Amino acid sequence: MNNINDKSLLQKQLTEKQPFYWLQKRVVCIVIALLGLLLILVVMTINVVKYETHLATGDTVLLALAPVDPRGFMQGDYMTLSYALENEVFALLDKRANDDSRNARNMSNDGYAIVALDKNNVGQFVRLAKSNQPDTLAANEMAIHYRVRNGSMKLATNAFFFQEGHAEAFEAAEYGLFRVNKKGEPLLTDMVNGTFEVIVGKSSLEDKVSN
């Protein structure tokens, strides 16, 4: 009889505690979700600040675009990009690799491409530097970080996005305009034509005329 009473009492206690237990569990889940959201917001804020700082303080350089497959050049709202500097860096890496009987495109490689800026801020390839950023550069020189992975070079973004329907305006692009921070990391900001004017979308031009 006592055993039956004990079991009944235990069951009653568990029943009474169950709502409180689920409430605790729900509160814990909500707290974890809020902390996760807060972490995401902090990371996003840090990335935005880094982007804005890079944009505001980076040094300007124009890099000449290299020809790409015309069938893939324009894709409605973006254009595929390749840079002449990539070809020049790869040419030198291939030459060095051949001297050592190696294949540069199959090797992981990090380094800096040193460019000399002309009067229009167009970067002309000068030489390569090793993985450590060079301390001494000429007054008109700039170090741009690059990475080679799986046979391709990561110099900067290989696509530029614009508002759909503005492709015609960007067909005149001959240079990418970059902001390069102190670490040598390039950030693409605009497309520039052959007369060194920043290209804006067609509708933007119409708005300026109408105003």
Side-chain angles (χ1 to χ4, degrees):
M1 187 70 177
N2 289 336
N3 290 337
I4 295 175
N5 291 335
D6 291 342
K7 288 181 180 180
S8 299
L9 181 60
L10 179 61
Q11 186 175 5
K12 183 179 180 181
Q13 290 175 342
L14 290 174
T15 302
E16 291 175 349
K17 290 181 178 180
Q18 191 172 14
F20 182 69
Y21 167 76
W22 285 110
L23 179 61
Q24 280 185 316
K25 187 174 181 180
R26 186 175 181 182
V27 170
V28 170
C29 290
I30 292 174
V31 170
I32 292 175
L34 290 175
L35 289 176
L37 179 60
L38 180 62
L39 179 61
I40 292 173
L41 291 175
V42 169
V43 172
M44 290 178 61
T45 301
I46 291 174
N47 286 336
V48 169
V49 171
K50 287 173 63 178
Y51 175 85
E52 294 294 342
T53 302
H54 193 155
L55 195 63
T57 62
D59 295 323
T60 302
V61 61
L62 298 179
L63 296 182
L65 302 179
V68 295
D69 184 353
R71 295 168 298 178
F73 182 58
M74 290 290 181
Q75 299 288 342
D77 59 352
Y78 75 94
M79 55 194 293
T80 302
L81 301 177
S82 180
Y83 307 96
L85 181 61
E86 294 179 14
N87 297 332
E88 293 171 314
V89 170
F90 253 137
L92 184 54
L93 289 176
D94 285 339
K95 181 180 183 302
R96 291 180 178 179
N98 289 334
D99 292 341
D100 295 335
S101 300
R102 296 179 298 176
N103 189 337
R105 295 177 186 269
N106 293 331
M107 298 171 57
S108 294
N109 193 313
D110 290 62
Y112 289 85
I114 310 302
V115 300
L117 306 182
D118 65 14
K119 63 180 182 179
N120 295 306
N121 270 4
V122 177
Q124 306 291 342
F125 178 62
V126 177
R127 64 186 184 279
L128 292 180
K130 295 183 179 180
S131 55
N132 294 329
Q133 190 172 7
D135 295 326
T136 56
L137 294 171
N140 68 328
E141 289 184 339
M142 178 184 294
I144 300 177
H145 185 257
Y146 72 86
R147 298 190 302 274
V148 176
R149 298 289 187 274
N150 301 318
S152 62
M153 181 175 296
K154 176 64 176 177
L155 180 67
T157 179
N158 62 352
F160 181 78
F161 290 83
F162 48 79
Q163 189 172 345
E164 191 170 357
H166 294 187
E168 185 177 354
F170 289 93
E171 289 178 356
E174 292 192 21
Y175 302 94
L177 191 156
F178 294 85
R179 291 283 186 174
V180 181
N181 64 15
K182 294 180 179 180
K183 296 180 180 179
E185 299 167 338
L187 174 66
L188 179 64
T189 62
D190 294 287
M191 290 288 105
V192 175
N193 62 23
T195 55
F196 306 105
E197 297 173 327
V198 173
I199 299 173
V200 294
K202 182 178 178 181
S203 62
S204 298
L205 287 173
E206 292 173 347
D207 291 342
K208 288 181 179 180
V209 172
S210 62
N211 291 335

